[in-house]
Amino acid sequence: MRDRLFFMRNVPRGTFCTEDCCLLRFCACCAAPKRAFHDSGELTENLRSNNYDVIITCNSQGSMIKFKVFVVRYGGCPMLLMKEMNFVDYRAEVAKTRAIILPVGAFEVWGPHLPVGADTLVAEEIANRISEKIGWVVGPSVPVGYSESLFAPEGGTITVRPESLRNYLYDIVESLAETGVKRFCFVGPHLGNVPIITEIATHLRRTRNVKCCLIDWWRIIQPICKGILKYDGRPAHAHAAEAGTSTFMYLRPDLVKAERLKDVGLAANEYPDIPQFAPFVETYPEAHVGDPTPASAEKGEQIVGKTVERVVEFLKQWH
């Protein structure tokens, strides 16, 4: 095994990396490594103007060469994840803000094209982006929520009882509040968790004078999406439709099965104003609603960028 460093610029402290790998068949006469290096050089030039660095390494063995491209983003604040911090650094960071970001997600069917952990992954990705812009610590994520309405008998959804989620989440927040945290920013895309978060937040404000806010992702993006998406209203924002799929194409394109995108339309309902509590997968066997086919990473980038900017603007003035 030979390791060769093809390219490395100055990488400042407080950066983080995302890794993209590809395998190339090595041929002595085709100069594949040279072409890969040339492509990476072009990528580097495109990224320089946006405060990015690129590190390219190459591992070769036999007839295979594996290139690793590390894209390093810097500028703003380093991302602060409590699970990766020692207690000394954690205490120092929290003392600056007395604030914590808490991602609260869900595991449920999200169409054949998106992962079942979509809400959890979005909550974590958005929490991380907020952290690096404002310098707040991201606390432990709660990956599974109340998803009874999307339960799928054949598998794909995990749900917990409302009281289980309430007790677990309350204990986390209470534990943090006892150590001096005065503000909690919940990032909770899943609608089924909203009443539980609301109950906990209201109780904390009354009993401890602790402030809480909720970034209800799939609702807060709706006015921002006007002019970005092809559709509007429910066709755009229904479960795993254009808005959700675009968001995922930008945040985690590696997890999107684009070949499975399919327009399933909206089920006819003469009384949409009256809740009827029909199991979701009975009405929508494909586990998604509407038409995700117009979705794109470019749309997702606009949605995420503008919404995170608005959230950060709010948090900076929220005391």
Side-chain angles (χ1 to χ4, degrees):
M1 179 73 71
R2 300 191 306 275
D3 293 335
R4 289 174 286 171
L5 184 64
F6 275 88
F7 181 84
M8 183 172 181
R9 291 178 59 229
N10 294 328
V11 180
R13 295 174 63 86
T15 61
F16 67 94
C17 303
T18 58
E19 179 182 329
D20 182 28
C21 299
C22 61
L23 284 173
L24 298 177
R25 179 69 62 180
F26 176 74
C27 175
C29 62
C30 74
K34 182 178 180 181
R35 286 207 302 272
F37 175 66
H38 176 68
D39 292 342
S40 299
E42 291 178 353
L43 173 65
T44 301
E45 291 302 319
N46 290 334
L47 292 172
R48 279 177 178 168
S49 61
N50 293 309
N51 287 340
Y52 283 79
D53 269 337
V54 175
I55 302 171
I56 303 162
T57 63
C58 172
N59 297 329
S60 60
Q61 185 175 25
S63 62
M64 299 298 293
I65 290 184
K66 184 175 183 179
F67 288 90
K68 293 184 178 181
V69 181
F70 297 87
V71 181
V72 184
R73 180 166 55 192
Y74 60 95
C77 306
M79 185 170 54
L80 301 171
L81 303 181
M82 183 178 179
K83 64 185 177 183
E84 297 180 358
M85 303 171 73
N86 59 66
F87 78 87
V88 176
D89 293 339
Y90 165 74
R91 290 176 181 176
E93 292 297 338
V94 170
K96 298 175 185 176
T97 63
R98 296 297 178 189
I100 290 282
I101 306 169
L102 287 178
V104 184
F107 268 51
E108 60 190 28
V109 288
W110 255 78
H113 58 289
L114 296 177
V116 298
D119 280 324
T120 298
L121 291 166
V122 167
E124 292 171 344
E125 290 282 349
I126 298 305
N128 294 348
R129 281 165 169 74
I130 295 170
S131 172
E132 68 172 339
K133 287 184 176 293
I134 202 171
W136 288 18
V137 172
V138 179
S141 64
V142 178
V144 179
Y146 176 58
S147 300
E148 184 72 27
S149 63
L150 281 96
F151 187 76
E154 295 181 359
T157 296
I158 302 174
T159 185
V160 298
R161 290 170 295 174
E163 59 269 27
S164 299
L165 177 61
R166 183 185 301 109
N167 292 338
Y168 182 63
L169 184 56
Y170 180 79
D171 286 347
I172 291 173
V173 175
E174 180 75 6
S175 179
L176 291 166
E178 286 184 0
T179 63
V181 177
K182 297 296 184 182
R183 290 178 292 171
F184 290 92
C185 175
F186 294 95
V187 181
H190 179 55
L191 184 60
N193 295 338
V194 170
I196 296 167
I197 295 173
T198 301
E199 180 182 338
I200 292 171
T202 304
H203 179 75
L204 283 172
R205 184 61 185 267
R206 181 176 63 83
T207 60
R208 283 188 170 273
N209 197 29
V210 168
K211 291 186 175 182
C212 300
C213 69
L214 170 62
I215 310 306
D216 183 2
W217 183 257
W218 301 125
R219 265 57 61 185
I220 194 175
I221 69 171
Q222 291 186 18
I224 291 171
C225 286
K226 293 184 181 297
I228 296 176
L229 301 177
K230 176 181 178 180
Y231 298 114
D232 195 10
R234 191 159 183 257
H237 298 283
H239 195 69
E242 184 184 4
T245 303
S246 293
T247 299
F248 241 85
M249 284 180 165
Y250 170 60
L251 292 177
R252 292 298 304 271
D254 56 310
L255 299 180
V256 179
K257 302 293 185 182
E259 70 278 7
R260 297 178 184 170
L261 295 180
K262 179 182 177 182
D263 181 4
V264 299
L266 301 175
N269 184 1
E270 295 183 23
Y271 302 97
D273 52 330
I274 301 177
Q276 299 169 53
F277 309 106
F280 178 75
V281 293
E282 286 186 10
T283 307
Y284 295 99
E286 295 278 350
H288 75 99
V289 182
D291 180 13
T293 59
S296 71
E298 292 73 22
K299 293 177 181 179
E301 183 175 11
Q302 291 184 65
I303 294 167
V304 170
K306 291 181 178 181
T307 309
V308 169
E309 182 180 339
R310 176 166 174 76
V311 171
V312 169
E313 179 184 319
F314 163 75
L315 293 176
K316 285 181 177 179
Q317 59 81 50
W318 185 54
H319 300 288

